[in-house]
């Protein structure tokens, strides 16, 4: 459980402890703590008294029989700017939540969001002109993913983020704490009108009444029904019309998809999910970009190409425009997202709880069809965020007074947003992002590179290698009376002390493979005496055979998609390996690249229960 010590999270602790001890016959460990519960307390280190408050909260939660872990944040880049403090604190908080969950093999994280938080989020997103899907607010269960939880050998379902209190009001939180005889702390920053959520919270209190609250929740519920329907449509379409390859690109069968018969809101969400999956960018696709993509998908057969949201979309080769290719665009200005993991810790942190989560998702999806409404029961499929309130009033979900109050809240927040909105100077934004194809990163031995959150790349040197790897003949097992021999490369393009670098594939790489085939080769007889084998000619022979095989595979990969593949080069930029297609220059070099996106197709925001 994420615990801040406020009334919301303390109420969550009271209910969770009661649920575990009275409903599940749960045992206690040797220290007297309830099995299966851990309170994660984040000290953001943004106020002088925060450390002492964290200790006080830990003491209070421990008295309930809940084990606690306090995490103290460190701000390496200095304290966040005032206007972005809450957002930065939230990002930091969830990073630590994920790390603690991974370390403790925890598969479900409970958060104390409640009904009033949902109302605040509705008004906030309404003022930012969010879509109907955004106005649906927070789902009961979603998923969060961390690059540290990956395993190339098992499915990765991330961590389930559960919000069990969404049907409870703020007033309920106080009553639960009082009933459990628990005190709480109040964060003084929650009273500052510098932050949008605080302003909206205070305004909602002013117009709060039973009628207002129930009507607003009815609109949010209707938006959630719309999202549930759209998510189901998108899931079905992806199962039928989308093929994802191990080379990191997707193909959409437009004939099966039949875009002309799909509602705009469903088609926009469908293409957005695919682009977010291929690019592994978490940013939503809105406005003119969303309209551009929608128009592109409705043009059948497709004849042109398009770059949007970190992806390149074009007609799939030989499809005559009946299929669309979606691959990562390496020319887009994107943040550098190369991460490195220790090989040992990587294997240790394989998802121990993946089976638990898989079972939870399987069980809930078996009941999913009961929850999905028919199109006739969905009210906001054809509405924009501006018209949601108007239609809700026509459907008599909202009274005239509630409608006017919400519109007033929206206008007030839009004014604040416009006055505070700043355009980032072009020179400043260029310092923070750069083209993917402009950089390469060293990959040390014993490390695993999470390359653009899409591929896991690792390498090692083999002391003994198959004879077939040198001779290029797959059936040469009788050669030299055995299947392996020792090979020490001291003069090939790799070198013993070199640290290779990983970057994206470029056109010169596949041209280099073609040039390798033109190089003269040594006779096989030169390999019969291993004591006199020249490592350079040995590597060159192997590189020629490897390049020949790789080029055959490369022909099956569209040129646009090839550029998204990771390659290893030496410190002089010479090509060492393209692991996705099996090319390596030196037979001693063993390189792997597993396509394992951080967030799976469909995203991490599906409503499972």
């Amino acid at each position: 459980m994420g615990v801040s010590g406020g009334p919301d999270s303390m109420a969550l602790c009271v209910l969770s402890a009661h649920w575990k001890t009275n409903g599940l016959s749960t045992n206690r460990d040797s220290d007297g703590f309830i099995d299966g519960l851990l309170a994660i307390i984040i000290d953001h280190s943004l106020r002088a008294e925060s450390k002492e408050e964290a200790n006080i909260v830990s003491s209070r939660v421990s008295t309930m029989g809940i084990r606690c872990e306090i995490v103290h944040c460190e701000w390496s880049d200095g304290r966040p700017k005032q206007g972005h403090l809450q957002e930065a604190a939230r990002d930091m908080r969830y990073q630590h939540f994920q790390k603690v969950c991974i370390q403790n093999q925890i598969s479900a994280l409970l958060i104390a969001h409640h009904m009033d938080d949902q109302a605040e989020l509705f008004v906030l997103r309404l003022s930012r002109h969010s879509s109907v899907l955004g106005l649906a607010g927070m789902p009961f269960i979603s998923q969060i993913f961390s690059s540290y939880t990956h395993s190339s050998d098992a499915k990765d379902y991330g961590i389930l983020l559960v919000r069990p209190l969404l049907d409870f009001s703020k007033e309920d939180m106080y009553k639960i704490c009082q009933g459990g005889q628990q005190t709480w702390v109040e964060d003084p920053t929650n009273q500052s009108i510098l932050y949008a959520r605080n302003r909206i919270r205070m305004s909602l209190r002013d117009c709060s009444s039973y009628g207002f609250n129930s009507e607003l929740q009815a609109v949010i519920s209707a938006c959630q029904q719309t999202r549930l329907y759209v998510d189901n449509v998108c899931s079905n379409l992806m199962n039928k019309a989308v093929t994802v390859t191990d080379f990191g690109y997707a193909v959409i069968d437009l004939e099966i998809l039949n875009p002309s018969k799909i509602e705009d809101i469903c088609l926009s969400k469908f293409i957005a999910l695919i682009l977010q999956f291929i690019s592994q960018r978490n940013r939503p696709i809105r406005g003119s970009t969303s309209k551009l993509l929608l128009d592109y998908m409705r043009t059948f057969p497709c004849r042109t190409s398009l770059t949007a949201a970190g992806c390149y979309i074009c007609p799939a080769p030989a499809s005559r425009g009946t299929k669309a290719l979606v691959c990562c665009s390496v020319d887009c200005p994107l943040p550098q997202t190369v991460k490195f993991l220790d090989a040992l810790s990587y294997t240790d942190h394989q998802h121990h709880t993946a089976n638990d989560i898989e079972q939870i998702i399987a069980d809930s999806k078996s009941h999913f069809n009961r929850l999905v409404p028919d199109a006739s029961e969905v009210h906001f499929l054809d509405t924009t965020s501006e018209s949601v309130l108007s239609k809700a009033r026509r459907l008599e979900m909202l009274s005239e007074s509630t409608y006017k109050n919400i519109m007033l809240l929206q206008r007030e927040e839009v004014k604040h947003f416009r006055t505070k909105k700043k355009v980032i100077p072009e020179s400043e934004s260029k310092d923070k992002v750069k083209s993917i194809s402009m950089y390469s990163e060293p990959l040390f031995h014993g490390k695993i590179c999470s390359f653009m959150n899409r591929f896991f790349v690792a390498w090692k040197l083999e002391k003994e290698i198959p004879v077939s790897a040198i001779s290029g003949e797959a059936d040469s097992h009788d050669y030299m009376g055995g299947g392996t021999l020792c090979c020490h490369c001291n003069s090939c393009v790799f070198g013993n002390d070199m640290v290779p670098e990983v970057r994206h594939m470029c056109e010169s790489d596949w041209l280099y493979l073609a040039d390798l085939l033109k190089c003269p080769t040594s006779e096989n007889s030169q390999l019969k005496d291993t004591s006199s084998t020249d490592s350079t000619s040995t590597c060159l022979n192997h590189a020629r055979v490897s390049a020949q095989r790789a080029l055959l595979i490369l022909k099956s990969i569209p040129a646009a998609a090839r550029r998204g593949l990771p390659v290893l080069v030496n410190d002089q930029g010479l090509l060492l390996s393209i692991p996705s297609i099996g090319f390596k220059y030196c037979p001693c070099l063993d390189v792997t690249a597993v396509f394992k996106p951080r967030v799976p197709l469909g995203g991490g925001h599906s409503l499972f229960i």
Side-chain angles (χ1 to χ4, degrees):
M1 300 171 292
V3 179
S4 66
D8 310 339
S9 61
M10 292 301 288
L12 178 64
C13 288
V14 171
L15 293 178
S16 298
H18 181 80
W19 166 60
K20 277 282 190 180
T21 54
N22 294 305
L24 299 174
S25 301
T26 303
N27 297 322
R28 293 179 181 259
D29 62 22
S30 58
D31 296 324
F33 292 114
I34 302 168
D35 279 343
L37 286 185
L38 175 69
I40 308 172
I41 302 170
I42 307 296
D43 169 21
H44 294 94
S45 304
L46 295 172
R47 295 181 291 113
E49 60 274 19
S50 65
K51 185 175 181 179
E52 181 182 354
E53 288 177 355
N55 292 329
I56 293 173
V57 173
S58 177
S59 176
R60 290 173 179 171
V61 173
S62 296
T63 59
M64 288 189 242
I66 300 175
R67 185 180 295 278
C68 298
E69 181 166 336
I70 300 177
V71 180
H72 301 283
C73 299
E74 295 182 1
W75 301 91
S76 56
D77 297 328
R79 180 187 173 93
K81 293 181 180 179
Q82 189 69 18
H84 302 281
L85 189 144
Q86 285 191 331
E87 181 182 355
R90 180 190 181 280
D91 291 342
M92 178 73 78
R93 183 162 62 249
Y94 277 88
Q95 286 178 26
H96 286 298
F97 281 157
Q98 291 177 53
K99 289 181 181 178
V100 173
C101 285
I102 293 164
Q103 290 165 1
N104 291 276
Q105 302 176 26
I106 292 171
S107 56
L109 174 67
L110 274 59
I111 299 295
H113 290 135
H114 51 77
M115 186 187 299
D116 293 38
D117 293 324
Q118 200 80 296
E120 293 165 17
L121 186 59
F122 179 89
V123 176
L124 179 65
R125 289 183 173 176
L126 193 68
S127 68
R128 306 297 193 264
H129 305 292
S130 180
S131 70
V132 176
L133 305 181
L135 296 179
M138 297 172 283
F140 180 67
I141 295 182
S142 56
Q143 289 172 284
I144 54 176
F145 298 88
S146 168
S147 58
Y148 298 101
T149 65
H150 277 108
S151 166
S152 60
D153 300 320
K155 291 183 178 180
D156 173 26
Y157 290 99
I159 298 166
L160 292 182
L161 186 66
V162 186
R163 302 176 178 91
L165 305 183
L166 286 181
D167 288 336
F168 291 75
S169 68
K170 184 72 172 186
E171 190 62 30
D172 292 330
M173 302 295 106
Y174 290 118
K175 290 179 180 178
I176 292 167
C177 287
Q178 291 165 357
Q181 298 181 337
Q182 293 298 323
T183 54
W184 59 86
V185 294
E186 295 282 2
D187 188 342
T189 59
N190 289 337
Q191 305 303 317
S192 173
I193 60 172
L194 289 173
Y195 306 112
R197 274 188 170 276
N198 295 349
R199 292 193 300 270
I200 295 170
R201 184 181 305 122
M202 295 173 186
S203 299
L204 283 170
R205 286 175 189 167
D206 293 339
C207 55
S208 178
S209 66
Y210 175 79
F212 176 88
N213 293 336
S214 61
E215 290 175 14
L216 179 55
Q217 291 302 322
V219 175
I220 295 173
S221 178
C223 291
Q224 289 174 337
Q225 288 291 97
T226 304
R227 182 172 63 190
L228 196 62
Y229 173 83
V230 171
D231 283 351
N232 186 58
V233 170
C234 290
S235 178
N236 291 334
L237 291 175
M238 284 188 286
N239 289 334
K240 294 176 182 178
V242 179
T243 301
V244 179
T245 72
D246 290 337
F247 300 110
Y249 66 92
V251 178
I252 306 173
D253 191 321
L254 299 176
E255 286 187 308
I256 295 176
L257 182 66
N258 199 356
S260 62
K261 295 187 177 181
I262 305 172
E263 297 99 336
D264 282 358
I265 189 172
C266 296
L267 190 57
S268 293
K269 179 70 177 290
F270 168 80
I271 187 63
L273 287 172
I274 295 174
L275 265 60
Q276 287 174 325
F277 168 71
I278 294 298
S279 69
Q280 287 294 293
R281 294 169 63 177
N282 197 31
R283 285 182 283 177
I285 300 172
R286 299 193 184 104
S288 58
T289 302
S290 181
K291 177 67 165 61
L292 187 67
L293 289 167
L294 189 61
D295 292 342
Y296 184 89
M297 293 298 294
R298 292 214 179 278
T299 304
F300 181 83
C302 63
R303 300 295 187 192
T304 60
S305 60
L306 174 68
T307 301
C311 290
Y312 179 75
I313 313 170
C314 64
S319 70
R320 297 185 177 181
T322 61
K323 296 180 180 180
L325 173 76
V326 183
C327 57
C328 187
S329 173
V330 297
D331 293 323
C332 285
L334 292 174
Q336 182 175 335
T337 56
V338 177
K339 297 184 179 71
F340 297 96
L341 312 165
D342 290 320
L344 291 177
S345 63
Y346 173 82
T347 54
D348 289 342
H349 285 163
Q350 288 183 2
H351 227 319
H352 297 280
T353 54
N355 291 335
D356 298 337
I357 298 176
E358 186 173 2
Q359 187 60 49
I360 291 170
I361 294 175
D363 290 345
S364 57
K365 283 186 175 180
S366 68
H367 303 286
F368 186 70
N369 290 335
R370 303 181 193 176
L371 298 173
V372 179
D374 295 326
S376 59
E377 300 172 332
V378 179
H379 299 300
F380 300 136
L381 279 177
D382 57 349
T383 57
T384 62
S385 60
E386 288 80 5
S387 60
V388 164
L389 294 182
S390 299
K391 187 163 186 177
R393 183 175 56 171
R394 290 199 304 273
L395 293 171
E396 298 184 349
M397 291 184 195
L398 293 179
S399 64
E400 188 65 27
S401 61
T402 300
Y403 171 80
K404 289 181 178 179
N405 283 332
I406 296 175
M407 290 295 292
L408 180 62
L409 290 174
Q410 180 198 19
R411 284 194 294 269
E412 288 298 317
E413 188 50 40
V414 167
K415 288 180 185 177
H416 282 285
F417 181 61
R418 286 175 176 170
T419 56
K420 292 197 61 148
K421 192 174 181 181
K422 289 176 60 178
V423 178
I424 300 175
E426 189 175 352
S427 58
E428 183 180 341
S429 63
K430 283 184 177 179
D431 292 336
K432 297 184 179 180
V433 295
K434 55 183 176 179
S435 173
I436 298 174
S437 55
M438 288 172 57
Y439 68 79
S440 60
E441 291 287 334
L443 178 56
F444 292 92
H445 187 268
K447 293 285 184 179
I448 296 176
C449 171
S450 175
F451 191 67
M452 298 305 299
N453 291 328
R454 303 168 75 245
F455 288 95
F456 280 101
V457 184
W459 67 273
K460 62 181 178 180
L461 284 177
E462 299 286 1
K463 291 184 178 180
E464 291 187 341
I465 57 174
V467 173
S468 58
I470 294 182
S471 66
E473 300 177 9
D475 56 351
S476 57
H477 298 294
D478 296 332
Y479 181 59
M480 288 206 48
T484 62
L485 54 78
C486 292
C487 179
H488 302 281
C489 289
N490 296 314
S491 56
C492 77
V493 293
F494 187 79
N496 283 338
D497 299 327
M498 195 203 69
V499 177
E501 296 182 350
V502 59
R503 62 164 171 78
H504 277 274
M505 191 175 184
C506 58
E507 187 175 356
S508 62
D509 293 329
W510 62 78
L511 293 177
Y512 175 70
L513 296 182
D515 290 339
L516 274 176
L517 299 184
K518 303 174 185 177
C519 294
T521 180
S522 60
E523 298 295 328
N524 283 340
S525 59
Q526 292 181 346
L527 298 177
K528 293 180 180 179
D529 182 6
T530 57
S531 61
S532 62
T533 297
D534 178 77
S535 61
T536 302
S537 61
T538 299
C539 289
L540 185 57
N541 287 337
H542 176 269
R544 290 182 70 258
V545 175
S546 184
Q548 187 175 27
R549 294 169 177 168
L551 282 170
L552 291 176
I553 300 174
L554 203 59
K555 287 180 180 179
S556 67
I557 305 174
R562 297 174 192 173
R563 301 184 68 197
L565 299 177
V567 303
L568 255 66
V569 297
N570 67 7
D571 51 5
Q572 296 176 342
L574 297 176
L575 185 64
L576 296 175
S577 174
I578 310 174
S580 298
I581 58 173
F583 170 77
K584 57 180 180 178
Y585 190 97
C586 173
C588 293
L589 181 62
D590 182 16
V591 187
T592 58
V594 180
F595 178 58
K596 181 73 175 175
R598 184 170 65 94
V599 179
L601 182 61
H605 305 284
S606 297
L607 183 64
F608 294 118
I609 298 178

